[in-house]
């Protein structure tokens, strides 16, 4: 019989892609479903795997619920992907974000510890923990300096994972993942915001796109490659921490330009600060404007990861590079805008 995995945050981008990956590996896949107004299983539906997964009511804020779910499933592997994952929102919801992303992870670790099982545990840590980066590129040994309530909460969860491994021998690993995107990315994140808006503009359904800080730089990879790395971490004989990244960084401007090229537009930047605009050189049409409402109280200016430990020790490889990522997201959003059916 195959192994049994429990994925928290299964309705999110990574959760849906990881569930698909684990099903292909023959796992019995269980997922945590949050009781909110709208049941958000759209991604699992889109991948055609909803009926192959066992869903459980799951809330990271509620210890008794976590205990019952883990007691019921008795998983071989737990992937803790659930989080309030939007950095921008964490400035408005700092206490909630700390509770879900920080204490929530510790609640889960406590349940695993008290169950005395041999279950393997994956914590979804993040390059946001490097924040105001102290060295470039960032590796497993680079000091952390988070710049948002989200980064601070995730750092608490990261050190809790390390601490439970060292204190109680939990087989708990932490994946420090740099930004990873896909056609299933939430619309609030900048990459998807750009690809969706450009598809709408091309279809005549939107005037222009408003963005915040165009100069921030991120190390963007493809989420499908990253969920494979999560699984590889839990197959190791010893639990450990690993960076997953591409080692290549691009600015928001670069992403805009690449997505515009997909649509046949040639972006020229004009003006400065909040007056800056992005114009299509051929038609003089204004496609991008700045809205300072999207600036953050503290910004992470540049992230660039060093994945060499994961490449060396896990044999982790990537199939999709930056250009391919932009194209697959643009293509998917053009199809969706044509179809008018997507809920995410
Ligand atoms: P996502 O699309 O925002 O998914 C987050 C998931 O968490 C959703 O399934 C959501 O449920 C669930 N969730 C939120 N609050 C919850 C709560 N209180 N109790 C139970 N479930 C809750 O995020 P993602 O991009 O897939 O990222 C997965 C994880 O990796 C997150 O922890 C994120 O912080 C981390 N991470 C992501 C990246 C990245 O670039 N994508 C990089 C590094 C780390 P609903 O569907 O009900 O909202
Ligand atoms: O796409 P973002 O919102 O992603 P961010 O903040 O890097 O966080 C993502 O990656 C983290 C890993 O490093 C994850 F842990 C986290 O859960 C999430 O998945 O913003 C990227 C950059 C920022 O510098 C932001 O200021 O884009 C800049 N930006 C500029 N204009 C914008 C916008 N971001 C958003 N969301 N919307 C804008 O209009």
């Amino acid at each position: 019989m195959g192994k049994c995995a429990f994925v928290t945050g299964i309705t999110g981008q990574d959760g849906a892609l990881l569930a698909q990956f684990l099903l292909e590996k023959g796992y019995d896949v269980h997922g945590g479903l949050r009781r909110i107004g709208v049941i958000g299983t759209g991604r699992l539906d889109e991948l055609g795997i909803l009926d192959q997964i066992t869903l459980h009511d799951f809330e990271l804020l509620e210890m008794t619920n976590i205990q019952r779910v883990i007691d019921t499933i008795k998983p071989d592997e737990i992937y803790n992907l659930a989080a309030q994952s939007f950095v921008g929102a964490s400035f408005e919801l700092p206490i909630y974000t700390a509770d879900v992303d920080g204490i929530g992870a510790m609640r889960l670790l406590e349940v695993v510890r008290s169950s005395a099982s041999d279950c393997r545990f994956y914590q979804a840590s993040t390059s946001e923990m490097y924040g105001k980066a102290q060295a470039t590129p960032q590796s497993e040994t680079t000091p952390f300096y988070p710049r948002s309530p989200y980064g601070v909460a995730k750092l608490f969860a990261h050190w809790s994972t390390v601490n439970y491994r060292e204190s109680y021998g939990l087989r708990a690993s932490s994946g420090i993942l740099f930004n990873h995107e896909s056609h299933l990315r939430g619309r609030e994140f900048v990459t998807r915001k750009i690809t969706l808006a450009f598809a709408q503009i091309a279809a005549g359904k939107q005037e222009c796109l408003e963005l915040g800080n165009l100069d921030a730089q991120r190390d963007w990879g493809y989420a499908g490659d990253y969920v494979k790395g999560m699984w590889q971490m839990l197959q190791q004989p010893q639990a450990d921490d690993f960076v997953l990244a591409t080692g290549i960084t691009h600015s928001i401007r670069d992403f805009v330009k690449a997505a515009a090229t997909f649509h046949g537009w040639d972006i020229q930047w004009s003006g400065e600060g909040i007056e800056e605009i992005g114009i299509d050189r051929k038609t003089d049409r204004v496609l991008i404007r700045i809205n300072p409402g999207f600036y953050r109280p503290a910004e992470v200016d540049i992230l660039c990861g060093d994945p060499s430990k994961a490449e060396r020790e896990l044999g982790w490889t990537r199939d999709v590079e930056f250009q391919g990522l932009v194209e697959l997201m643009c293509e998917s959003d053009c199809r969706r805008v044509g179809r008018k059916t997507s809920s995410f």
Side-chain angles (χ1 to χ4, degrees):
M1 201 167 109
K3 283 194 233 173
C4 173
F6 176 53
V7 180
T8 80
I10 199 162
T11 54
Q13 169 188 258
D14 291 5
L17 291 170
L18 177 65
Q20 184 181 46
F21 177 87
L22 293 173
L23 285 169
E24 284 164 11
K25 290 260 170 224
Y27 276 68
D28 176 17
V29 178
H30 294 249
L33 182 66
R34 194 157 63 117
R35 280 283 147 198
I36 48 171
V38 180
I39 302 292
T41 50
R43 293 183 174 95
L44 301 170
D45 254 335
E46 173 137 344
L47 295 177
I49 57 172
L50 183 55
D51 59 353
Q52 298 169 58
I53 293 163
T54 310
L55 293 172
H56 303 259
D57 286 347
F58 184 79
E59 174 53 71
L60 264 181
L61 295 174
E62 172 64 59
M63 184 83 176
T64 63
N65 168 250
I66 299 174
Q67 182 85 57
R68 263 190 301 277
V69 170
I70 301 298
D71 285 351
T72 304
I73 305 173
K74 297 188 176 46
D76 300 301
E77 297 173 6
I78 297 176
Y79 295 85
N80 183 32
L81 309 186
Q84 189 302 94
S85 74
F86 186 39
V87 173
S90 78
F91 289 99
E92 292 303 318
L93 302 168
I95 296 166
Y96 173 78
T97 303
D99 206 354
V100 175
D101 298 12
I103 309 283
M106 188 178 256
R107 288 188 188 98
L108 200 42
L109 285 163
E110 264 301 302
V111 167
V112 174
R113 173 191 168 199
S114 65
S115 74
S117 78
D118 204 22
C119 169
R120 295 177 182 217
F121 180 90
Y122 173 85
Q123 171 58 25
S125 289
T126 164
S127 50
E128 273 289 308
M129 300 186 311
Y130 296 116
K132 191 172 177 181
Q134 302 295 292
T136 298
Q138 296 90 45
S139 73
E140 294 78 3
T141 55
T142 304
F144 299 115
Y145 193 142
R147 294 271 282 173
S148 64
Y150 168 82
V152 172
K154 282 285 186 176
L155 189 51
F156 176 89
H158 171 74
W159 281 121
S160 300
T161 305
V162 174
N163 181 249
Y164 275 58
R165 179 171 75 221
E166 294 177 352
S167 304
Y168 312 117
L170 257 60
R171 302 173 80 159
S173 294
S174 179
I176 306 174
L177 272 50
F178 284 63
N179 298 51
H180 46 278
E181 322 290 312
S182 74
H183 63 301
L184 299 180
R185 188 56 144 152
R187 294 169 177 222
E188 64 273 42
F189 301 97
V190 76
T191 53
R192 179 78 201 290
K193 184 175 169 182
I194 293 165
T195 60
L196 183 58
F198 279 2
Q200 304 257 38
I201 292 169
K205 295 175 182 168
Q206 186 171 333
E207 255 318 295
C208 91
L209 166 64
E210 291 186 346
L211 292 171
N213 176 12
L214 299 174
D215 295 316
Q217 296 176 59
R218 291 291 183 274
D219 178 331
W220 279 299
Y222 171 57
D225 291 332
Y226 288 57
V227 300
K228 177 182 64 181
M230 295 175 189
W231 174 79
Q232 287 177 313
M233 285 181 215
L234 292 205
Q235 309 317 304
Q236 298 308 299
Q238 297 295 329
D240 202 350
D241 307 323
F242 294 91
V243 162
L244 299 185
T246 72
I248 300 169
T249 191
H250 293 273
S251 66
I252 313 301
R253 272 175 217 285
D254 296 338
F255 196 98
V256 167
K257 201 166 178 49
T261 302
F262 175 90
H263 288 280
W265 302 320
D266 182 9
I267 297 279
Q268 180 177 23
W269 301 102
S270 161
E272 275 181 31
I274 60 169
E275 304 300 333
E276 185 167 7
I277 50 177
I279 308 164
D280 174 31
R281 216 183 285 263
K282 295 177 207 153
T283 59
D284 277 345
R285 179 168 179 189
V286 177
L287 295 172
I288 313 289
R289 291 187 190 281
I290 303 300
N291 179 343
F294 295 114
Y295 289 161
R296 294 174 180 175
E299 181 59 283
V300 171
D301 295 321
I302 176 165
L303 290 173
C304 181
D306 172 5
S308 50
K309 179 178 172 188
E311 290 170 347
R312 194 175 58 246
E313 295 186 20
L314 305 178
W316 184 62
T317 54
R318 298 170 296 284
D319 289 333
V320 181
E321 300 304 335
F322 179 76
Q323 191 60 32
L325 174 65
V326 176
E327 282 168 19
L328 79 81
M329 292 181 72
C330 286
E331 274 164 14
S332 164
D333 276 328
C334 285
R335 275 198 304 275
R336 282 193 180 117
V337 167
R339 224 173 47 205
K340 294 190 220 151
T341 55
S342 175
S343 58
F344 52 86

